[in-house]
Every structure is written in structure tokens, then in C-alpha cells.
Amino acid sequence: GENVEQHPSTLSVQEGDSAVIKCTYSDSASNYFPWYKQELGKRPQLIIDIRSNVGEKKDQRIAVTLNKTAKHFSLHITETQPEDSAVYFCAASIGGAQKLVFGQGTRLTINP
Amino acid sequence: DSGVTQTPKHLITATGQRVTLRCSPRSGDLSVYWYQQSLDQGLQFLIQYYNGEERAKGNILERFSAQQFPDLHSELNLSSLELGDSALYFCASSVEGQPTGELFFGEGSRLTVL
């Protein structure tokens, strides 16, 4: 299949708390899983990515975990800050890495 | 600035018309991708070109077509426009022929069909 499901569609957390966004994919051959952040009125930008030979990757306050058996991956943001407010998209390479399919996005709001 | 240039930034047209969106990739990038983002929707993959050749196709309507020219810029042609075609159209580029590395997005072309 070519679906990437992303949950939740909206997420509101208090500043300083953690946020978790989850995605599932259906193509067992998928091997590349990036996360993009899109601020209001701006273009999507890559914030972190993970490949299928790695289970977890961290970059300061953000981390991504991958469970290939279950075909799901998650984005974790710790110590959230107001500037983390944005729409976050997960994606997965499918069809033998021929296409990058995005999830529907999660609108994250950080409340001060 | 991602280095990807899209024109026009905004376009308003009527149903039934035809428009062309243009994208210049980052210097050195051989792949160009087109995505459609409707209001509160995700990024729908339309089509990818690599070094002038079509590489992958997504849910692109038959009324839409694209091409990549020898200088690597790309154009997305939308014809017989319908109200539902109103969206933000993003172009992205990458060095590789497969989307297994960072895609650099342009600022998008916002199309409004009245």
C-alpha cells in the first residue's frame, strides 16, 4: 500500500511538556522516514530523519523512533517551546523508494 | 532560503482556464518533485522528474501535466481548472534520483480558482 497514517491531527501541550506524534505505514519495503515541520505560511523543512537500519535517532530536543516490525515510527519533542508550534508531517519512502508519501499532518500548539 | 524558486507566488484564475507553475531547483539538484497541499490537507505527491525524465508518479490528475527541461527547471501545467484545484503547489528538489534524502521545498505557488 501507499498509505501513511498520522495521529493525532491536532495536539496541544503546555510549554515545557513533551509531545509525541505517531505514524504508521503499510509498505514493508519502506526504508526512509523523515519528519518535516511547516510553520504557518512557510515551506516544509526537514527536522529529522531515520533510516530502516536504525531504531532511534536524537537531535537535541527531538527524537524519532522506528519499529519496523510494527511498521510505525514516532516523533518525540521534549521541553517544548512556543517556537515548536507548527504543523508536523511524517513521511515514508514507498514503492521501492520511488515515492515519498506524507502523512496528513499534526498541528502542534504549545501553550505558554 | 532553500534555493528552490517557484513562480508565481500567487495566481487567481477562473474555472476552465489553464495555468503553468514554474520551479527552479537548487543548484546541482537533479530531481524535482511536485506536491499539492489543499486547505488543512497533507502534502499530496503529484510527480517527480530526475534529470529530465519522469521518475515517479503519484495521484496526478489527467488534466495536469509536468515536464523538466534540459536546464533542470520544471513546469506543472494545470488545465480545465476546477474549484477543487485551488491549493498550494509546492516544488521540491534533491540531489538524488530517489527521495531518500532531504527534499528542499520552495515557498509554493498558491492557486485560487474562482
Side-chain angles (χ1 to χ4, degrees):
Chain A
E2 299 192 354
N3 289 333
V4 177
E5 299 291 331
Q6 183 171 347
H7 301 280
S9 56
T10 61
L11 179 60
S12 182
V13 301
Q14 288 299 120
E15 183 178 350
D17 288 350
S18 296
V20 181
I21 303 170
K22 300 181 179 182
C23 289
T24 60
Y25 60 98
S26 52
D27 185 355
S28 57
S30 294
N31 59 7
Y32 177 64
F33 309 91
W35 286 87
Y36 283 78
K37 176 183 180 182
Q38 185 178 26
E39 296 179 358
L40 188 63
K42 301 283 185 66
R43 59 187 172 89
Q45 291 185 269
L46 179 72
I47 55 171
I48 195 168
D49 58 10
I50 191 168
R51 300 182 190 277
S52 58
N53 58 345
V54 176
E56 183 176 2
K57 184 176 178 181
K58 287 183 180 179
D59 183 3
Q60 299 183 337
R61 295 187 298 108
I62 61 174
V64 58
T65 59
L66 172 64
N67 183 327
K68 284 215 70 177
T69 303
K71 296 198 190 79
H72 68 69
F73 56 114
S74 301
L75 177 71
H76 304 253
I77 306 174
T78 58
E79 300 173 19
T80 53
Q81 300 169 3
E83 54 264 37
D84 295 330
S85 294
V87 177
Y88 290 81
F89 291 98
C90 65
S93 64
I94 64 162
Q98 290 302 312
K99 303 177 187 179
L100 190 66
V101 175
F102 284 80
Q104 288 301 97
T106 296
R107 185 175 300 278
L108 174 64
T109 302
I110 308 301
N111 301 308
Chain B
D1 183 6
S2 67
V4 177
T5 304
Q6 288 188 248
T7 57
K9 287 187 169 49
H10 302 277
L11 189 56
I12 301 174
T13 188
T15 55
Q17 295 299 303
R18 171 190 170 94
V19 298
T20 297
L21 308 180
R22 182 188 169 101
C23 170
S24 293
R26 287 189 327 156
S27 176
D29 284 359
L30 299 178
S31 276
V32 170
Y33 307 78
W34 287 98
Y35 283 87
Q36 180 193 55
Q37 185 174 41
S38 301
L39 191 63
D40 288 336
Q41 293 291 307
L43 294 157
Q44 300 295 319
F45 171 64
L46 296 178
I47 199 163
Q48 179 209 352
Y49 281 83
Y50 176 74
N51 204 21
E53 299 291 327
E54 181 182 307
R55 177 59 69 97
K57 204 174 232 187
N59 299 323
I60 187 167
L61 299 173
E62 286 191 11
R63 300 183 286 108
F64 296 0
S65 65
Q67 55 183 326
Q68 185 179 29
F69 294 86
D71 67 353
L72 301 177
H73 92 271
S74 177
E75 292 181 357
L76 178 66
N77 300 296
L78 315 174
S79 61
S80 302
L81 285 168
E82 302 175 359
L83 296 178
D85 297 327
S86 294
L88 188 53
Y89 291 84
F90 282 107
C91 165
S93 73
S94 71
V95 172
E96 301 154 351
Q98 293 185 327
T100 51
E102 182 171 2
L103 299 191
F104 295 88
F105 283 81
E107 298 294 331
S109 291
R110 183 170 295 283
L111 172 66
T112 302
V113 182
L114 301 176

